[in-house]
Amino acid sequence: MSDKKNVNEQSKDEQLEQYRSDDTGKQMTTNQGLKVSEDEFSLKAGDRGPTLMEDFQFREKMTHFDHERIPERIVHARGYAAHGEFEVYESMKEFTKAGFLQDPSKKTPVFVRFSTVAGSKGSAETVRDARGFATKFYTEEGNYDLVGNNIPVFFIQDAMKFPDLVHALKPEPHNEIPQAASAHDTFWDFVANNQESAHMVMWAMSDRAIPRSFRMMEGFGVHTFRFVNEQGKAHFVKFHWKPVLGTHSLVWDEAQKINGKDPDFHRRDLFDSIENGDYPEYELGVQLLSEEDEHKFDFDILDPTKVWPEEDIPVKIVGKMTLNRNVDNVFAETEQVAFHPGHVVPGIDFSNDPLLQGRLFSYTDTQLIRLGGPNFHELPINRPVCPFHNNQRDGYGRQTINKGPVSYHKNSIAQNTPAPVPEEQGGYVHYQEKVEGRKVRTRSESFKDHFSQARLFWNSMSKPEQEHIKEAFTFELGKVERKAIQEQVVQMFANVSMELAKEVADAIGATMPAGEDSKVTKSSPALSQENTAKKPATRKVGVIIADGFNGPEVKTVLEALKAEGIQPEAISDKLGKRKGTDGTEIEIDHTFLTADSVLFDALYAVGGEDLSKKFVKNTAYFINEAFTHFKPIGATHDGLKWLEVNGIQDSAGVVHSEDMSQFASEFVQAVAAHRHWEREIV
Ligand code: HDE
C-alpha cells in the first residue's frame, strides 16, 4: 500500500487493506489504546464486593457488546457475499458509454450479495423464495449497482404496493409464523387479491425458487433500463446473469430436509467453492431494444411482470464475472454493504417502470435506519474506488476530515470548487426523455394482462417441471387454512392453466374450476431448466465405504471423478481411515450421523467386507432417499446389493458396470445430468 495515495485513489483491495485488522499475537488494549492488564474480572470493592462504577474497562466492553447488532434488512435479511471481478468481452461502445463496458482488458472489481427475500437474518437458506442477486461494480466512474433477483419478473407493478406485499409475505403478525415461507394465508390472500402477481407466482412455485446453489442460478435486473451511448442515443436494456455451471435446482422434499441438516447450505457451498479455487462464474447478457420498437410487443416493456422472450429479443452475452475472494468479515462487508438501483454511471439510465421508480427512493431511505445515518457510503465496503468530493458534511459516524472553510456551492474562497463536471468530461446527465401527462394514480391499460405470460411460462416448462409446479401449489395451498382463499387461488390460476388448476383443486379438495383453458400457445424454451448447461464439475459425490473395499477399483473411479472436477467425500460408520483389500487407505470425511444424502449431488456405493447391520441399514436409507430425489447413484461390486435391495438397478441414472473405466465415464455423465426425472414419469 502506497503511503502517498489518498484512500479514494486506491484499488478496492488496497482500500480494504487499511481497514483489515489481524489481532493475532497483539497486546490487548481498550478502544482508546490503553493496555489491558486483566480481562476476566470486573473491578470490585473486595473479592466478594459490588462492582464499581469506576470500571470504565468493563463499561466499554459491555456497551460495545450491547450495541453489536444493527436492524436486519426488512427484506433480503439472510444473505451471503463474495468479492470478484468483471470483464467485458467486447466494447459496448455502440450502445453505452459506461466506462466499465468499453475495454476487454480492464477488470472491474465487484462485490456480490445473494439472499433470500422473506426470512430473517438467521433463517434457513433452501426455502422456497426468490433469491436476491445484487452486484456492486466499483467502476472508475463511481459505483454501479445491479440489484437483481434470480427471477426475471416481480409480484407487483407499482412500488406503492411493496409494503403490502411484504407484510403479506412475512410471518403473520399475530403469531409470527411461519418463518421464511410463503405457505400461509396472508401471502395467498394477497396473491388472490392482486392478480398481477400471477406470473411471478408461477416462477415462485417452480424449481427456480429452490436453487441448488448460488453458483447455479440466473440473475436478472428485472426492470427495463436504458443504455445511452456517447452520441446520446438510447436503447432499452434488460440485464441477465447466466451461470457458467447452468441453472439447477433442488427438489422440494430435499430442500426442506436440508434446512434441518444444514441451514447454511448455500453459504457453505459458496464459501467452500471459493476456498477450493472453484470460482463461480456468470456471464453478463443484455437484451437490447431500440426506442422505436418500444410499442411493438403484446406487452408493455415497462411492466415488471413481463419477460422479453429470449427467442424474440436474443440475449447478447457481453462479459463475465468471476467471484474469487471470500469476505474477511461478514458483518463489516456482507452486512454493511448498501445496494441501490439508483447507483448508476454515465451510459446507464432508468425507464419509467413504476416499480423501478419507487425503488429509487426506497434503498437510500432504508440504509438511513439500517446503517444509522447518511455516511454509509464511507464504510469500507461501500466506498467508491474513484475520488468523491462534494459539500455534504457531518452526520453520525462521519469519517472524512474535510479541510478548509468551504462546504457550499457556489463559492469564491475555493474558486467555486468542488465544481460540477460537464457531460463531455464525465458528468452524469439524465437521459432527456420527453414526458407529458396528467397527474394520475392509475394502472396503465397496457399493464392489465396478467395471465398471458404466466401461461407462456407454463407452456415452456418440461413435464417434470410442470409436475413440480403442481406439487408446489398443492403444498402451499395445503398449508392455507381459509377455504375461501384456496378457492380464490384455484380460480385465479385457472386463467393460466386448467390442467394446473384442476389438479390442484382435486388435491386440496377445492371446487373444480370451470371455463375455457387459456388460448396462449406460445412457449419460450429458454425458460426451461431442461435446456441449461449440464456439467459435472464441482458436484459433490458421497462415497459410502467400509473396510475391505476393493482398492484398485475405488482408486480408478475416484481419480476419474476428480479429473472431471467432481468432489468425492467419503462417508462411513465412523471417522478415521478405512483400509482397502490392497492396503489403500481412505480418510473418512463424514459419518452417517454428520452426513445425509440430501447434502450430496450423487452417491457412489462402494461398501466393503463384513459390514455391520447398521452400516447396511444406513446405506440403504441413503440410497433410497437419493433415489427419491432423482439423484445419480453409482455402485460397483459390493455396492450392487443396495441397488437390488431397493429394486432400482434398472432405473435411469443408476449406474453399475463390471468395467471400471466404463463405470466411471457413465457415472460422470449421470452426475452431469444433475437429476434423472425419467424416474418421476414412470
Ligand atoms: Fe428490493 N429492497 N425492493 N427488490 N431488493 C431491498 O434495500 C424494494 C425489488 C433486491 O443484498 C431493501 O438495502 C422496493 C425488485 C435485492 O443488500 C429495500 C421494491 C428486485 C435486495 C428494498 C423492491 C429487488 C433488495 C431492503 C418494489 C429485483 C437485497 C434492504 C418497488 C430486481 C440487496 C435494502 C442486498 C433489498 C426495497 C423490489 C432486489 C427495502 C420498495 C423488483 C437483491 O430498500
Side-chain angles (χ1 to χ4, degrees), residues 98-114:
F100 76 106
L101 294 174
Q102 305 300 312
D103 180 358
S105 67
K106 191 190 271 178
K107 288 190 164 49
T108 302
V110 296
F111 188 67
V112 179
R113 184 174 181 274
F114 301 105

Side-chain angles (χ1 to χ4, degrees), residues 289-445:
L289 188 69
S290 63
E291 299 239 299
E292 301 79 64
D293 291 342
E294 179 175 358
H295 300 292
K296 282 200 176 147
F297 299 88
D298 58 1
F299 57 86
D300 192 326
I301 64 149
L302 299 184
D303 178 353
T305 67
K306 303 294 185 291
V307 292
W308 298 358
E310 290 187 31
E311 292 73 16
D312 300 339
I313 307 175
V315 177
K316 183 179 162 64
I317 299 296
V318 301
K320 187 168 80 179
M321 174 166 79
T322 308
L323 301 182
N324 54 17
R325 189 159 62 78
N326 279 311
V327 301
D328 291 293
N329 184 281
V330 173
F331 180 83
E333 300 175 74
T334 311
E335 193 59 15
Q336 293 200 113
V337 68
F339 292 97
H340 178 19
H343 293 161
V344 287
V345 289
I348 299 183
D349 212 308
F350 314 114
S351 73
N352 294 332
D353 170 350
L355 196 70
L356 172 61
Q357 296 278 321
R359 291 180 75 201
L360 296 176
F361 163 74
S362 179
Y363 287 67
T364 307
D365 188 44
T366 208
Q367 311 311 344
L368 294 177
I369 180 80
R370 199 171 69 78
L371 297 171
N375 288 317
F376 57 86
H377 63 285
E378 292 186 323
L379 291 167
I381 195 64
N382 294 326
R383 297 185 83 97
V385 294
C386 60
F388 58 101
H389 303 281
N390 54 46
N391 293 311
Q392 295 168 31
R393 292 291 185 273
D394 310 346
Y396 284 109
R398 182 70 171 181
Q399 293 179 33
T400 305
I401 303 172
N402 297 100
K403 298 201 286 186
V406 173
S407 55
Y408 51 90
H409 179 79
K410 300 170 171 177
N411 66 68
S412 300
I413 298 177
Q415 291 80 49
N416 206 19
T417 59
V421 184
E423 188 176 7
E424 315 75 68
Q425 292 168 33
Y428 188 89
V429 175
H430 288 260
Y431 180 66
Q432 295 188 9
E433 180 184 3
K434 185 162 185 284
V435 280
E436 58 184 7
R438 296 186 184 281
K439 291 181 191 169
V440 287
R441 286 191 193 276
T442 52
R443 186 196 317 259
S444 166
E445 276 301 318

